[in-house]
Amino acid sequence: MLRTLSIVAVIALAISAVLACGQASTQPQDVGARAVAALVGPDGSGMGVVTLTQTHHGVLIAAEVEGLSPGGHGFHIHTVGTCSPDFAAAGDHFNPGDVGHGYNNPAGVHAGDLPNIYANADGAARADYFTAAVTLDVDVDHSLFDADGSAIIIHENPDTYGEDAGAGGRVACGVITRY
C-alpha cells in the first residue's frame, strides 16, 4: 500500500512539473516592458500619447489624447508601424489570428480591436484598457513588434463593434515604439 502511494505521489509530481513547464512557456518574457505611441493629427500636430505596459497576463494601454471632436472615436491597434505618408500607411487592424472584426461579431474579434475612446466637450480623452490579445514580447505571432511594427489609430467616429467597424476616417496616428 505504501509503495502504491509513493508511485502515485511520484506520478502526481511529474504531471505537476510538466504542467508548470507548459504554463511558464505561455507567460510573457518581457513583463514590465513599456512602449509608447506619440499621437499626431493629419497636420502633424501633437495630440497626445498612448503608453503600453506588458504585464503577466497581457498589455495595459493608457491613452491621454486632446484635440478630438467631442464624443466617441474608434481606437485601434493597426498592423503597420508607420503613419506616413498618410495614416492609411498604418494598414488594417492588427489581426494575427485572421479573425473577424468587432466585439459583437460571433466570428471573433481582431487583436487590434479596442473599446471606443470618448472625448469630452473640450476634445480631451483619457482611457485605460487591458488586452491579452497582444504582447510586447518579440518572436511570437501576437507581438506588436513584428517585422513591420504596429501603430495606434484613432478614428473620427465610434466603432460599431460589428463586422464593419464603420469608424470613419483616421484623425490621429502614433507608431508604437519601445522605451
Side-chain angles (χ1 to χ4, degrees):
M1 172 96 169
L2 186 57
R3 180 178 158 103
T4 303
L5 288 175
S6 295
I7 292 172
V8 169
V10 168
I11 291 172
L13 283 173
I15 291 171
S16 295
V18 168
L19 290 175
C21 289
Q23 290 172 345
S25 67
T26 63
Q27 293 296 313
Q29 300 300 309
D30 292 336
V31 171
R34 297 187 75 176
V36 65
L39 298 171
V40 296
D43 64 357
S45 62
M47 292 186 68
V49 65
V50 177
T51 304
L52 300 93
T53 305
Q54 181 71 55
T55 73
H56 290 282
H57 306 288
V59 175
L60 286 171
I61 300 172
E64 292 189 38
V65 187
E66 57 187 25
L68 296 172
S69 60
H73 299 272
F75 183 73
H76 306 110
I77 300 169
H78 281 245
T79 192
V80 181
T82 187
C83 295
S84 50
D86 61 25
F87 297 166
D92 295 327
H93 293 180
F94 185 69
N95 188 14
D98 196 29
V99 295
H101 171 273
Y103 293 112
N104 291 325
N105 184 346
V109 62
H110 295 160
D113 287 343
L114 297 170
N116 292 323
I117 191 168
Y118 290 87
N120 59 26
D122 71 359
R126 169 87 180 82
D128 289 321
Y129 299 116
F130 174 82
T131 178
V134 302
T135 183
L136 302 183
D137 281 349
V138 294
D139 298 327
V140 290
D141 66 345
H142 62 296
S143 173
L144 297 181
F145 297 108
D146 59 7
D148 58 4
S150 303
I152 298 286
I153 293 285
I154 298 178
H155 294 270
E156 66 183 335
N157 301 317
D159 192 313
T160 64
Y161 299 139
E163 290 181 42
D164 176 18
R170 299 171 184 201
V171 298
C173 181
V175 174
I176 300 171
T177 57
R178 284 188 181 274
Y179 76 95

